[in-house]
Amino acid sequence: ETAVFQTPNYHVTQVGNEVSFNCKQTLGHDTMYWYKQDSKKLLKIMFSYNNKQLIVNETVPRRFSPQSSDKAHLNLRIKSVEPEDSAVYLCASSFGTGNYAEQFFGPGTRLTVL
Amino acid sequence: QQNVQQSPESLIVPEGARTSLNCTFSDSASQYFWWYRQHSGKAPKALMSIFSNGEKEEGRFTIHLNKASLHFSLHIRDSQPSDSALYLCAVSITGNTRKLIFGLGTTLQVQP
């Protein structure tokens, strides 16, 4: 039963364009995450928000910018995409930031940069 | 910097077999250990977690943790074709900010 929703499912674009991805969770969680899963299936944290506050900001290029309007929504904008941005972008949510909190993932947005 | 390694990279087993997946980590202060399963084209989903040394069993799945040897594992009893998926181990790092560090995964194929 899906409770973390991502749009779009797929996006194909050209180098230099801007793209935006959306994520919404209906679990009542207060923490949301963006992960990047590359072609080797490595899942790597990019950003994390707790109650709309940015709490994790990994070393990612500055063209990536997250935005959270409320606890249930997290967006990701990429200005001027590069070929290495091709990947699946996964959104996740959890209740709290403790080590024990299970993260629930969305199905992902697959980005292809031509 | 936490380093999480998984083995084997891929595995093919017959239906009904016992399957063992391994994960090693580098930070001895790591606190919580997870296994996630990701079916092809789907969202990763948490299978099990553990935080203290020893074993924990849930149905056909058993997780084993040995912090001294920086190792934890997942064992699947009576493997089923529906278990075919990418298995990702993850370790949560210490500190107030929660981050999961994932391994590269083990692709499991269970043949009927």
Side-chain angles (χ1 to χ4, degrees):
Chain A
E1 186 180 344
T2 304
V4 181
F5 303 92
Q6 291 187 242
T7 57
N9 294 328
Y10 304 92
H11 191 84
V12 181
T13 190
Q14 307 243 339
V15 170
N17 285 349
E18 178 175 313
V19 299
S20 289
F21 305 144
N22 303 305
C23 179
K24 171 187 170 182
Q25 54 94 5
T26 58
L27 294 165
H29 289 164
D30 58 0
T31 306
M32 295 186 73
Y33 312 79
W34 276 116
Y35 285 86
K36 179 181 180 181
Q37 189 169 37
D38 62 22
S39 57
K40 294 182 180 179
K41 302 296 184 183
L42 178 64
L43 203 55
K44 195 167 181 183
I45 183 80
M46 298 175 69
F47 303 101
S48 172
Y49 274 76
N50 175 255
N51 285 313
K52 300 194 298 177
Q53 297 298 315
L54 183 65
I55 57 171
V56 171
N57 186 355
E58 290 297 281
T59 307
V60 299
R62 295 180 69 177
R63 59 182 180 275
F64 288 83
S65 57
Q67 185 178 26
S68 178
S69 57
D70 57 52
K71 290 192 297 184
H73 295 84
L74 183 62
N75 300 327
L76 181 67
R77 185 177 68 171
I78 315 174
K79 290 184 191 177
S80 190
V81 295
E82 299 286 339
E84 61 263 30
D85 298 336
S86 295
V88 177
Y89 292 86
L90 288 158
C91 175
S93 70
S94 69
F95 186 68
T97 58
N99 290 323
Y100 51 84
E102 179 182 346
Q103 292 187 16
F104 292 78
F105 284 83
T109 293
R110 181 178 294 277
L111 173 66
T112 301
V113 180
L114 302 176
Chain B
Q1 180 78 4
Q2 176 77 273
N3 184 25
V4 178
Q5 301 285 333
Q6 288 190 240
S7 65
E9 188 174 315
S10 63
L11 194 56
I12 301 174
V13 301
E15 184 175 352
R18 174 182 161 89
T19 301
S20 294
L21 310 176
N22 300 294
C23 189
T24 60
F25 53 97
S26 59
D27 185 353
S28 59
S30 300
Q31 295 185 331
Y32 230 84
F33 306 87
W34 293 86
W35 283 99
Y36 279 76
R37 182 166 72 178
Q38 185 178 24
H39 286 103
S40 182
K42 303 294 186 183
K45 186 173 168 56
L47 266 179
M48 294 182 71
S49 64
I50 193 167
F51 64 92
S52 59
N53 280 329
E55 277 191 0
K56 180 178 168 183
E57 182 178 333
E58 290 182 4
R60 297 185 294 112
F61 298 89
T62 302
I63 190 171
H64 181 91
L65 172 64
N66 184 330
K67 287 187 180 181
S69 59
L70 303 177
H71 176 266
F72 65 110
S73 56
L74 179 71
H75 306 277
I76 308 173
R77 176 172 47 86
D78 188 24
S79 299
Q80 299 296 307
S82 57
D83 295 329
S84 298
L86 177 69
Y87 287 78
L88 298 161
C89 69
V91 179
S92 62
I93 66 169
T94 55
N96 294 326
T97 303
R98 179 154 190 271
K99 289 198 297 188
L100 279 181
I101 307 299
F102 283 85
L104 267 173
T106 294
T107 300
L108 172 65
Q109 185 179 346
V110 182
Q111 292 185 330

